[in-house]
Amino acid sequence: YMGTLSECLFFFEFCAMFLWLLAYALMLFEAALVLILIIPLPSNTLRGYLVRAYTAVWKNANVRNSVYAVIAIQTLLFADSLRTISHLDEHNHHGDIAEMVDRIRILRNQRNAYISGFGLFLVLIGMRLLGLMGQLHAARESVKAAKKA
């Protein structure tokens, strides 16, 4: 049983909406992780705990594969929304309703491009911040060791 065309379209729209909701939730999660990484830490010990915790989580192959999958999905979503925006910009409708529907689609895809673009940006920023935090922790530990010697 395939269902009617309207049922299939409704199912497709529901899946797309769920995917964009998931992309939005992931962007908020990435923003929270980046926020944790940019908070000034009072001691190098706390920084060391944070770096070790992130490193321990990153060593898990399932976590790494999940992050790579999220990056791939966000990249595809970003490319699709940009493609749809450029495709919809080329339409020339002469009816008011058709033009309004196209404008709504353009605005929706612009929103989706922002969500997926910011998500990709936050992943890159988070990875770089984690690397910098690890380097800062190692540098402060070597300065501390040099002062003791």
Side-chain angles (χ1 to χ4, degrees):
Y1 172 72
M2 290 292 293
T4 64
L5 180 62
S6 63
E7 288 173 346
C8 291
L9 288 176
F10 176 76
F11 179 73
F12 176 74
E13 286 291 324
F14 179 76
C15 289
M17 183 180 64
F18 179 73
L19 190 60
W20 282 110
L21 182 64
L22 182 65
Y24 180 69
L26 285 170
M27 184 195 67
L28 292 178
F29 180 71
E30 293 162 1
L33 291 178
V34 167
L35 190 65
I36 289 170
L37 288 173
I38 63 172
I39 291 175
L41 298 174
S43 71
N44 200 39
T45 306
L46 187 58
R47 184 173 292 107
Y49 289 140
L50 192 60
V51 168
R52 283 191 293 276
Y54 273 106
T55 305
V57 169
W58 185 251
K59 284 182 181 178
N60 185 345
N62 291 333
V63 170
R64 270 196 320 272
N65 291 337
S66 298
V67 169
Y68 294 145
V70 165
I71 291 171
I73 290 170
Q74 284 183 332
T75 303
L76 290 173
L77 289 173
F78 184 67
D80 180 58
S81 40
L82 289 181
R83 180 194 57 82
T84 306
I85 290 169
S86 66
H87 176 71
L88 288 173
D89 280 340
E90 297 170 357
H91 282 187
N92 292 324
H93 292 292
H94 299 291
D96 290 338
I97 293 176
E99 186 177 336
M100 185 172 33
V101 169
D102 273 352
R103 293 233 181 242
I104 290 170
R105 286 182 177 166
I106 288 172
L107 289 173
R108 184 181 336 139
N109 281 289
Q110 286 174 342
R111 177 204 64 201
N112 294 344
Y114 279 119
I115 289 171
S116 56
F118 285 141
L120 286 171
F121 179 71
L122 287 170
V123 165
L124 296 175
I125 293 296
M127 290 177 147
R128 183 62 185 140
L129 281 172
L130 190 57
L132 287 173
M133 188 173 278
Q135 291 174 358
L136 180 62
H137 175 70
R140 288 196 175 174
E141 287 295 317
S142 64
V143 167
K144 189 188 294 185
K147 284 184 180 179
K148 286 184 179 179

